[in-house]
């Protein structure tokens, strides 16, 4: 059996004239060889088309967005924890540096310190709220703050807080001595 031009036409079906198309269909009904080739080619065409049209699963954009938001939230939580940890570390370090000087100053002020202690306990209880507020405040800006400020700013704040505590107590101590 003569398979040309039908084998060639199989790959050009869309450009065939109606006579050629009818001849091809007639040949395909009688020729197993060309019918097998036609089926194989149709399969390949289908696979190429379906491969290029594979769409992402429904909700892909939504999932991607929520994963991104989740990642950002975790990053901010890590940064907030780092800021709080650095501040606490700074305070502890300053307490070690100035602890021996502060101790005699604090002795007359123990009742005041007790009051402060309860205030600190209150602060700790409100720490979660503080974290939330700081988180909201820093949320918009932390990405644009260089790392060096993220470390040095809490340390400076801790230093200022300690200086404030020291000066308040010096003042109080002097006043107590005058009395
Ligand atoms: Zn044939």
């Amino acid at each position: 059996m003569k398979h040309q031009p039908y084998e060639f036409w199989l790959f050009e079906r869309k450009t065939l004239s109606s006579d050629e198309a009818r001849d091809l269909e007639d040949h395909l009904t009688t020729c197993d060889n060309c019918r097998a080739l036609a089926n194989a080619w149709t399969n390949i065409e289908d696979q190429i088309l379906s491969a290029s049209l594979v769409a992402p699963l429904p909700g892909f954009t939504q999932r991607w967005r929520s994963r991104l938001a989740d990642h950002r939230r975790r990053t901010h939580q890590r940064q907030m924890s780092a800021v709080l940890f650095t501040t606490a570390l700074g305070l502890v370090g300053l307490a070690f540096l100035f602890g021996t000087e502060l101790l005699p100053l604090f002795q007359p002020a123990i009742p005041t310190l007790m009051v402060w202690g309860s205030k600190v306990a209150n602060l700790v209880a409100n720490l979660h709220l503080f974290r939330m507020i700081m988180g909201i405040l820093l949320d918009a800006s932390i990405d644009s703050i260089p790392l060096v400020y993220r470390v040095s700013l809490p340390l400076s704040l801790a230093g200022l807080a300690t200086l404030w505590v020291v000066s308040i107590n010096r003042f109080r101590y002097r006043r107590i001595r005058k009395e």
Side-chain angles (χ1 to χ4, degrees), residues 78-99:
R78 270 203 304 275
Q79 285 170 336
M80 276 307 300
S81 303
V83 166
L84 286 174
F85 178 73
T86 315
T87 309
L89 203 69
L91 283 171
V92 169
L94 287 162
F96 265 110
L97 282 173
F98 298 109

Side-chain angles (χ1 to χ4, degrees), residues 61-78:
T61 313
Q62 188 63 38
R63 280 196 302 280
W64 186 79
R65 278 203 190 121
S66 73
R67 214 167 36 228
L68 184 71
D70 206 42
H71 173 74
R72 282 178 67 90
R73 196 171 58 246
R74 273 205 300 272
T75 306
H76 282 153
Q77 273 173 355
R78 270 203 304 275

Side-chain angles (χ1 to χ4, degrees), residues 1-4 6-7 27-28 30-35:
M1 193 181 274
K2 190 167 158 285
H3 300 303
Q4 289 297 355
Y6 308 112
E7 279 183 340
H27 180 74
L28 287 179
T30 56
C31 177
D32 291 342
N33 181 64
C34 286
R35 197 164 54 243

Side-chain angles (χ1 to χ4, degrees), residues 7-174:
E7 279 183 340
F8 177 73
W9 283 355
L10 283 176
F11 304 102
E12 306 257 296
R13 270 180 161 178
K14 290 190 178 96
T15 62
L16 297 180
S17 71
S18 53
D19 282 349
E20 288 170 336
R22 199 178 53 243
D23 282 356
L24 178 61
E25 293 305 323
D26 285 347
H27 180 74
L28 287 179
T29 54
T30 56
C31 177
D32 291 342
N33 181 64
C34 286
R35 197 164 54 243
L37 190 63
N39 288 339
W41 177 238
T42 307
N43 272 341
I44 290 168
E45 266 188 328
D46 285 350
Q47 279 176 26
I48 291 168
L49 283 174
S50 64
S52 64
L53 288 174
V54 167
L57 291 170
F60 169 78
T61 313
Q62 188 63 38
R63 280 196 302 280
W64 186 79
R65 278 203 190 121
S66 73
R67 214 167 36 228
L68 184 71
D70 206 42
H71 173 74
R72 282 178 67 90
R73 196 171 58 246
R74 273 205 300 272
T75 306
H76 282 153
Q77 273 173 355
R78 270 203 304 275
Q79 285 170 336
M80 276 307 300
S81 303
V83 166
L84 286 174
F85 178 73
T86 315
T87 309
L89 203 69
L91 283 171
V92 169
L94 287 162
F96 265 110
L97 282 173
F98 298 109
T100 46
E101 287 181 37
L102 288 177
L103 206 58
L105 297 174
F106 281 152
Q107 264 168 358
I110 281 171
T112 316
L113 283 176
M114 298 287 277
V115 176
W116 281 21
S118 71
K119 281 180 182 169
V120 168
N122 255 335
L123 260 176
V124 171
N126 287 323
L127 196 64
H128 182 66
L129 187 68
F130 171 75
R131 272 188 64 135
M132 269 175 60
I133 292 166
M134 287 297 280
I136 291 162
L137 286 176
L138 288 177
D139 195 44
S141 57
I142 196 148
D143 284 341
S144 57
I145 300 174
L147 185 70
V148 64
Y149 291 122
R150 279 185 233 163
V151 177
S152 64
L153 198 69
L155 274 176
S156 326
L157 284 174
L160 282 173
T162 311
L163 276 174
W164 179 71
V165 169
V166 169
S167 53
I168 288 274
N169 275 278
R170 285 238 164 93
F171 176 70
R172 189 183 294 277
Y173 184 55
R174 269 184 214 135

